[in-house]
Amino acid sequence: MHASCLIKFPPPILSPGLHSFLGILMLEISSPQGSTLAAVALIAAEDHNMCQQMHAAVVKSGAANVTSVSNALISVYVKCASSSLGMMPHSSSFLMCEARKLFDEMGERDELTWTTMIAGFVRNDDLISAQEFLDQMDDSLTVAWNALISGYVQHGSFYKALEMFRNMQALGMELDEFTYTGVLSACTNAGLLRHGTQVHAHILRTKMKPAPDFMLSVNNALLTFYWRAGKADQAQHLFESMPKRDLVSWNAVLSEYVKSGRINEAKKYFLMMPQKCVLSWTVMISGLAQNGYGEEGLKLFHQMKVEGYEPCDYAFAGAIISCSALGALKHGQQLHSQLVRLGFDGSLSVGNSLITMYARCGVVEAAKCLFLTMSSLDSVSWNAMIAALGQHGKGTDAIEMYEEMLREQIVPDRITFLTVLSACSHKGLVDEGQRYFDSMSASFGMIPGEDHYARMIDLLCRAGKFSEANRLIESMPIKPGIPIWEAMLAGCRVHGNMDLGIQAAERLFELRPEHDGTYILLSNMYATVGRWDDMAKVRNFMRERGVKKEPGCSWIEVDHMVHAFLVGDTKHPEITAVYEYLQELGPEIIKLGYVPDTQLVLHKIDTDQKEQVLSTHSEKLTVAFGLLKLPPSAPIRIFKNLRICGDCHKWMKLVSQFVKREIIVRDGRRFHHFTDGACSCGGYW
DNA sequence: GTAGGGTTAG
């Protein structure tokens, strides 16, 4: 029996061979040699049941006094406690207690014993015990201090980590690459540019004999530090000048490109990478999904598998988010079933992304069902569910969900309030929204940001409370920016408040002259009140500045394929059938009271032509295609890049009444469920 | 026994 061949067994799956082998070793345990070997095998197996049996056998045989054996046992307890795969929720604290008991029973403890315990506490989120143990140690051991620094960083106690670093310096302790990367990570996360720069200077000053890859790991930490401190150029320069780069260096830069939304650079860089791992693929896939490249995200996910990489749960989450952007429900469901087969369905990020996927694909019930059956939930899950209900116009349910979240002792964060306020806005719940907005600072000590103010302005303006909205803007501690004026303009359009609307639009023209939405909203407002000259002025203004209206585009998933239609589409292979069907549908919808709302057409053309333009709006084409292709009883779920236009909104109501089918439209902002001639939005859009 | 690169909510 050789220890070297034991370590080759792959953890943590306990192969039958290893299992029986452990059994044999249990019999040999009476000799310290035999028990050390068995402990080594145990570490490889990471099996807590075997560990407990072994613990008992070791105590019985008196081998507990052999430090190396007890160290190995402690190590297994600690690892099993933190992996908690398929275990009961309380078993991790139980296993840590067992480790502690063993520690207390030991006659002699060495550095490894102490460090294993401290690292174990850190891994199991018990920093208080970790600090206690560290304080009890006679010697100041760098490894142990490093472990605690990393623990503080993981828990967001960045200043604690810095304090430990300073103490290490004061004690004259040896500082290694783990110490420096730990403290740099604290500076990165706390946004401490000056501190981090000082640490960098300190490293450069130190004349020590460093470990072979000392500067490689330190440089990797510095890359992220400089980038997040707003010094992307400096970070890039560092990357170029590094004498040695590894996967971590490449992944660090890739993820920073993605995080800062520089997706085209990220794509180029991804192709350039000399080596990739699952993590690189994951970063790229979710980066694409987050930046609206759902189709490319999904393609990359498949390519990843083709190239022989096994997607992890995070990669699946990225692919699922691609589906939600696309509205590819069938595809998302396929991924869901793959996940279950692979055993990833317990993963929080996967569960959370599935909630969003079902909701954003229009099936809010499925999202709710998933939420209710998930084995664990975090604030992200609650936020996702509240957002889902709000987007579907279920404002009251969203509020109820938020109250339940509080009862469950989940602390709401800034995003929770954004979702709650949006939910109130989509349903016109002014008083409730005001109460939650006030509670942010009063009950949770959170200062509302500009985005929170914008939601409030949206809520107030949609409800026609313009003087309240103005008062709120005046009371803001920050200068109102784009989100505030956008909310105001949208509210003014709903209520035809020209004066205020023009003011808001002017602010927006100053802040963002290149954005098409402002021109469109303002000219629509002029059109509604018949101010044709002013409308023409806005249009000229737009032309002079070279601003192009983003074309309306809608799409639908049929037979696992996404079919997209542009306004006045001529490219789709089945477009003729679509127009024919719309021709048939026309008189029926008019019989139900449809009158084309030609005021909404921007071009200076006659009424017939305007009706023609309206009748080819992308959302109408897409609904017609869905009605032609989907089975008779299936709901029609369509997606649109822009907000649905008022004429299409009326049309959809009547079509849903005529064909007796549910039509669900996701526009740029929210969902509309049309049934029997009515829409779930109740006019609040 | 410790580090540097990831995910999900708006």
Side-chain angles (χ1 to χ4, degrees):
Chain A
M1 278 179 280
H2 300 291
S4 58
C5 70
L6 296 177
I7 300 169
K8 278 185 192 157
F9 288 103
I13 302 148
L14 198 56
S15 66
L18 184 54
H19 202 275
S20 53
F21 186 64
L22 274 169
I24 296 164
L25 282 173
M26 297 277 283
L27 302 173
E28 305 262 339
I29 216 152
S30 47
S31 77
Q33 220 176 1
S35 43
T36 309
L37 280 177
V40 169
L42 255 183
I43 292 180
E46 281 184 28
D47 183 282
H48 62 280
N49 289 320
M50 290 301 287
C51 186
Q52 275 175 277
Q53 288 175 37
M54 178 86 113
H55 185 175
V58 160
V59 170
K60 211 168 154 189
S61 69
N65 286 331
V66 182
T67 311
S68 59
V69 174
S70 295
N71 282 350
L73 287 172
I74 288 178
S75 161
V76 180
Y77 274 132
V78 161
K79 270 195 192 150
C80 294
S82 57
S83 70
S84 72
L85 272 169
M87 294 201 305
M88 300 299 285
H90 297 298
S91 49
S92 66
S93 54
F94 168 76
L95 291 174
M96 281 312 290
C97 282
E98 292 291 298
R100 202 167 180 155
K101 244 193 274 173
L102 198 58
F103 177 89
D104 290 336
E105 286 160 8
M106 284 171 73
E108 231 177 285
R109 304 180 189 111
D110 59 13
E111 288 182 346
L112 191 58
T113 323
W114 284 95
T115 324
T116 311
M117 283 305 293
I118 291 171
F121 286 129
V122 168
R123 285 174 70 158
N124 288 285
D125 297 329
D126 182 1
L127 292 186
I128 295 174
S129 304
Q131 182 74 60
E132 260 173 37
F133 269 59
L134 189 85
D135 294 340
Q136 284 169 36
M137 281 181 77
D138 293 329
D139 302 318
S140 302
L141 191 70
T142 301
V143 195
W145 284 64
N146 289 346
L148 200 51
I149 287 183
S150 98
Y152 282 130
V153 173
Q154 278 159 35
H155 281 251
S157 313
F158 308 123
Y159 287 92
K160 273 266 192 206
L162 278 173
E163 192 188 314
M164 288 203 65
F165 176 70
R166 275 195 283 266
N167 286 338
M168 286 176 88
Q169 285 179 304
L171 290 169
M173 288 174 65
E174 180 207 341
L175 308 176
D176 61 13
E177 64 269 41
F178 292 93
T179 325
Y180 288 120
T181 48
V183 72
L184 280 171
S185 166
C187 296
T188 304
N189 288 299
L192 302 168
L193 174 63
R194 220 166 42 83
H195 285 78
T197 314
Q198 277 169 7
V199 173
H200 188 184
H202 180 263
I203 297 167
L204 295 176
R205 268 202 313 274
T206 314
K207 293 269 181 288
M208 57 195 285
K209 185 86 187 94
D213 278 331
F214 174 84
M215 268 327 277
L216 175 61
S217 24
V218 168
N219 279 334
N220 286 342
L222 283 168
L223 278 178
T224 307
F225 166 71
Y226 280 117
W227 205 299
R228 302 256 180 100
K231 308 267 174 196
D233 291 347
Q234 200 171 334
Q236 274 171 305
H237 180 255
L238 174 65
F239 179 77
E240 299 298 335
S241 62
M242 276 165 67
K244 199 172 166 188
R245 295 185 277 251
D246 63 1
L247 241 179
V248 177
S249 336
W250 285 92
N251 285 341
V253 174
L254 177 70
S255 90
E256 292 309 322
Y257 273 128
V258 164
K259 271 206 190 92
S260 46
R262 294 160 68 170
I263 202 72
N264 286 326
E265 285 160 282
K267 281 196 243 176
K268 262 187 237 156
Y269 181 89
F270 183 75
L271 291 173
M272 249 167 60
M273 286 174 77
Q275 66 225 32
K276 294 186 185 79
C277 62
V278 172
L279 197 147
S280 334
W281 289 88
T282 307
V283 169
M284 197 62 227
I285 291 166
S286 40
L288 288 166
Q290 297 264 351
N291 286 281
Y293 298 87
E295 210 174 329
E296 282 188 56
L298 277 183
K299 273 190 194 144
L300 205 64
F301 180 73
H302 291 295
Q303 197 189 330
M304 169 182 187
K305 291 198 276 195
V306 170
E307 295 195 18
Y309 294 88
E310 294 232 341
C312 61
D313 50 347
Y314 295 152
F316 267 99
I320 291 164
I321 292 310
S322 303
C323 294
S324 19
L326 288 170
L329 176 64
K330 288 278 156 9
H331 208 114
Q333 282 170 328
Q334 266 181 356
L335 285 170
H336 188 175
S337 56
Q338 278 175 38
L339 282 168
V340 174
R341 270 203 307 278
L342 290 167
F344 283 143
D345 49 333
S347 156
L348 252 176
S349 12
V350 161
N352 293 341
S353 59
L354 281 170
I355 293 178
T356 306
M357 189 276 289
Y358 282 116
R360 301 248 300 135
C361 287
V363 204
V364 69
E365 305 78 19
K368 183 76 183 282
C369 183
L370 199 88
F371 178 84
L372 292 174
T373 51
M374 271 165 70
S375 55
S376 62
L377 298 168
D378 63 0
S379 61
V380 176
S381 333
W382 287 89
N383 290 349
M385 199 56 231
I386 295 170
L389 293 167
Q391 286 158 2
H392 283 272
K394 297 175 181 287
T396 323
D397 294 354
I399 285 178
E400 242 169 60
M401 183 64 69
Y402 170 69
E403 295 290 347
E404 199 184 326
M405 174 179 178
L406 295 187
R407 284 194 293 276
E408 296 277 332
Q409 318 258 323
I410 312 281
V411 184
D413 57 21
R414 309 183 67 78
I415 291 173
T416 314
F417 286 104
L418 288 179
T419 61
V420 170
L421 291 173
S422 291
C424 292
S425 172
H426 287 319
K427 194 79 189 168
L429 304 168
V430 179
D431 295 340
E432 290 83 348
Q434 185 73 56
R435 210 173 61 234
Y436 291 125
F437 181 78
D438 294 339
S439 78
M440 270 186 82
S441 48
S443 314
F444 300 99
M446 257 182 258
I447 303 164
E450 191 183 9
D451 35 5
H452 295 100
Y453 277 100
R455 305 288 158 114
M456 269 317 284
I457 302 293
D458 188 80
L459 175 57
L460 291 168
C461 290
R462 275 172 204 285
K465 297 181 182 276
F466 291 103
S467 43
E468 272 103 326
N470 265 326
R471 266 205 298 281
L472 186 63
I473 292 181
E474 279 159 24
S475 76
M476 276 173 58
I478 36 173
K479 197 169 172 261
I482 293 169
I484 304 287
W485 300 119
E486 265 190 336
M488 179 138 242
L489 178 58
C492 289
R493 192 195 62 105
V494 174
H495 293 277
N497 187 333
M498 291 305 296
D499 294 344
L500 221 50
I502 292 167
Q503 280 179 38
E506 275 170 358
R507 296 286 90 74
L508 286 169
F509 288 142
E510 286 164 19
L511 293 165
R512 202 169 47 168
E514 73 287 356
H515 186 248
D516 59 338
T518 316
Y519 301 86
I520 309 290
L521 272 180
L522 189 61
S523 69
N524 276 351
M525 286 176 75
Y526 282 132
T528 331
V529 294
R531 285 169 65 172
W532 308 111
D533 290 347
D534 288 318
M535 180 180 140
K537 262 186 225 158
V538 176
R539 281 179 37 225
N540 286 336
F541 199 31
M542 199 172 165
R543 223 188 346 258
E544 279 164 25
R545 289 186 173 178
V547 178
K548 287 248 159 45
K549 183 184 184 296
E550 188 185 342
C553 174
S554 307
W555 62 95
I556 185 170
E557 192 190 37
V558 173
D559 294 333
H560 297 69
M561 279 269 293
V562 175
H563 297 258
F565 295 87
L566 283 171
V567 57
D569 200 288
T570 51
K571 297 256 162 57
H572 191 277
E574 293 179 68
I575 196 67
T576 321
V578 167
Y579 284 127
E580 277 168 16
Y581 182 65
L582 283 172
Q583 285 281 321
E584 273 171 46
L585 212 53
E588 305 294 340
I589 304 306
I590 287 170
K591 263 189 233 159
L592 290 173
Y594 171 69
V595 183
D597 194 348
T598 48
Q599 288 183 337
L600 295 170
V601 180
L602 289 179
H603 316 287
K604 238 182 179 167
I605 43 177
D606 64 40
T607 312
D608 280 0
Q609 282 173 305
K610 282 187 179 179
E611 283 184 19
Q612 178 62 28
V613 172
L614 278 180
S615 68
T616 64
H617 270 186
S618 64
E619 50 268 58
K620 291 194 182 95
L621 303 182
T622 312
V623 165
F625 182 72
L627 288 168
L628 282 172
K629 298 302 252 187
L630 291 172
S633 59
I636 311 292
R637 296 194 180 87
I638 76 153
F639 305 85
K640 187 179 183 197
N641 60 342
L642 309 172
R643 298 189 58 185
I644 185 171
C645 92
D647 180 71
C648 287
H649 196 265
K650 276 196 291 187
W651 187 84
M652 297 278 172
K653 284 193 207 172
L654 299 171
V655 171
S656 76
Q657 188 182 342
F658 176 68
V659 298
K660 298 197 169 38
R661 284 168 81 159
E662 188 180 13
I663 299 173
I664 301 159
V665 179
R666 181 180 93 189
D667 71 8
R669 208 172 257 258
R670 60 164 299 154
F671 280 89
H672 303 262
H673 294 252
F674 299 93
T675 29
D676 268 341
C679 177
S680 64
C681 75
Y684 273 97
W685 56 286

